[in-house]
Amino acid sequence: MTAPTPPPGPGLPHRRLGRSGLRLPVVSLGLWQNFGHADPVANQREIVLHAVERGVTHLDLANNYGPPGGAAEETVGRLLARELRPVRDELVVTTKAGYRMGPGPYGEGGSRKYLLSSLDASLRRLGLDHVDVFYSHRFDPSTPIAETVGALATAVRSGRARYAGISSYSARRTLEALAVAADVGVDLVVTQVSYSMLNRWIEEPDTSGRSVLDVASGAGMGVVAFSPLAQGMLTDRYLRGTPDGSRAARGGPLRPEFLSPENLDHVRRLDALARAHGRPLARTAIAWAMRDPRVTTVLVGARTTAQLDDSLAALDDAPLSAEEVAAVAAIPPDTGINLWASRSSDL
């Protein structure tokens, strides 16, 4: 594969990230899965370069993506040093810190020490002097939120990040973070949250009386939605049991208990409805997640370039029918699959 060149024009449809000047493609590449040491390097390279050639100019990372932690950033760093070097300024490269990355008391959390040390390590792995967005990956109840947001402000003021954001914060915690950000003079331009037809927690008001979507919209924050396929549940892979080699079979983030009879019944009904409208369930799920204009971009993963192309094909499908939207609305907003609830958004 030859080195990609900047895509002509916007490449893919773009949306503005809240009130910021940043614009993101409506579908972006997340490197949470399939970019660890157990995954063939040639395959990782092919997926990233193919994504950029297709106009997917937003690459989303975190310090702990791999496994092991740091592996995904190392992959992108090698590409940025070679094939992607000519188009670096056409790309939006983002990373995060918050979850467990190393041993000891400074290997996770929201402390100033951990966040800034982690950012420096991420920049070394990426071979960059700055990332475009640096996120607090989770709310940390053991650290004052003023310290966490203050570290994000330092990242921006020092030039190590162009923008700052938060991830998996509840509406209540987002309001708290925004208040601190106003005091310290930094803009939180984006919140990154899990969102799918089976995991609609960001639509629901919490103890603040507001939802994450309401808070983000009111504050002018962009919304980056991840796991639109609910860790693979919203595909045809689990309609007839758990296949060998699947995420559920490997003991990954898709836990066997998520595949409850009730959840599988929801998936089968959604699959039948999607097929009746002439498209696969996965493409329907992606289209559903990006139907709300408050969602700036939807992060998709990919094991192959063909899988990535199929995800991008959701952009060419007809709009969702009223019947499909109503079928999703009839599903409980919390089906028990939110991996990040107990570790961040419920705190």
Side-chain angles (χ1 to χ4, degrees):
M1 184 178 291
T2 58
T5 55
L12 296 176
H14 281 56
R15 291 178 181 174
R16 186 178 175 190
L17 187 71
R19 287 199 290 260
S20 79
L22 198 61
R23 301 180 70 86
L24 300 179
V26 292
V27 174
S28 300
L29 181 63
L31 288 88
W32 175 32
Q33 303 286 327
N34 308 313
F35 290 87
H37 286 177
D39 302 288
V41 172
N43 191 54
Q44 298 178 45
R45 174 182 178 274
E46 184 180 26
I47 291 169
V48 175
L49 295 186
H50 184 70
V52 174
E53 288 175 344
R54 288 294 313 272
V56 179
T57 52
H58 174 211
L59 306 178
D60 182 76
L61 296 148
N63 61 349
N64 63 334
Y65 288 177
E73 290 179 330
E74 289 169 354
T75 291
V76 174
R78 288 190 294 268
L79 293 172
L80 287 168
R82 298 193 294 265
E83 293 94 335
L84 295 180
R85 185 174 180 181
V87 297
R88 165 62 184 102
D89 289 340
E90 303 294 327
L91 303 177
V92 174
V93 179
T94 67
T95 196
K96 318 174 197 72
Y99 287 108
R100 175 62 66 181
M101 180 60 179
Y106 310 119
E108 68 173 330
S111 71
R112 179 180 181 85
K113 176 175 176 60
Y114 171 57
L115 293 182
L116 294 178
S117 295
S118 178
L119 175 56
D120 289 340
S122 291
L123 293 175
R124 289 192 295 270
R125 288 188 288 268
L126 290 165
L128 298 175
D129 62 2
H130 74 275
V131 291
D132 295 295
V133 181
F134 181 53
Y135 290 90
S136 165
H137 205 170
R138 68 177 179 93
F139 173 73
D140 176 14
S142 69
T143 301
I145 199 165
E147 180 176 341
T148 298
V149 175
L152 297 177
T154 296
V156 173
R157 289 177 185 142
S158 66
R160 285 124 91 187
R162 295 292 189 250
Y163 300 90
I166 56 177
S167 179
S168 296
Y169 279 51
S170 66
R172 176 169 67 100
R173 299 303 187 185
T174 301
L175 287 167
E176 293 174 1
L178 286 167
V180 173
D183 286 343
V184 301
V186 66
D187 290 328
L188 297 179
V189 302
V190 60
T191 181
Q192 186 172 135
V193 286
S194 61
Y195 188 45
S196 73
M197 295 191 290
L198 297 177
N199 179 22
R200 307 197 311 277
W201 71 277
I202 64 170
E203 298 177 352
E204 296 297 298
D206 65 8
T207 55
S208 70
R210 301 172 68 185
S211 71
V212 171
L213 282 174
D214 289 338
V215 171
S217 178
M221 302 175 78
V223 176
V224 173
F226 68 88
S227 287
L229 303 184
Q231 293 91 255
M233 290 179 65
L234 291 169
T235 67
D236 61 5
R237 299 202 77 192
Y238 300 98
L239 297 177
R240 290 165 290 278
T242 303
D244 294 338
S246 65
R247 289 185 185 180
R250 295 195 310 263
L254 178 51
R255 299 170 183 169
E257 60 266 28
F258 293 173
L259 299 170
S260 65
E262 293 80 8
N263 283 344
L264 288 176
D265 182 61
H266 297 320
V267 173
R268 291 187 184 105
R269 285 190 286 110
L270 291 171
D271 177 70
L273 195 55
R275 286 188 287 106
H277 285 84
R279 60 183 156 225
L281 176 58
R283 292 214 310 257
T284 299
I286 292 168
W288 182 90
M290 64 186 183
R291 82 202 185 287
D292 191 319
R294 293 174 294 183
V295 174
T296 308
T297 187
V298 176
L299 294 176
V300 299
R303 290 181 290 107
T304 64
T305 56
Q307 190 180 72
L308 176 62
D309 284 339
D310 189 64
S311 293
L312 294 176
L315 300 174
D316 301 321
D317 288 335
L320 296 178
S321 67
E323 182 185 15
E324 290 172 297
V325 174
V328 177
I331 297 171
D334 181 4
T335 59
I337 68 166
N338 187 357
L339 280 171
W340 305 270
S342 63
R343 296 182 290 171
S344 182
S345 52
D346 280 352
L347 300 177

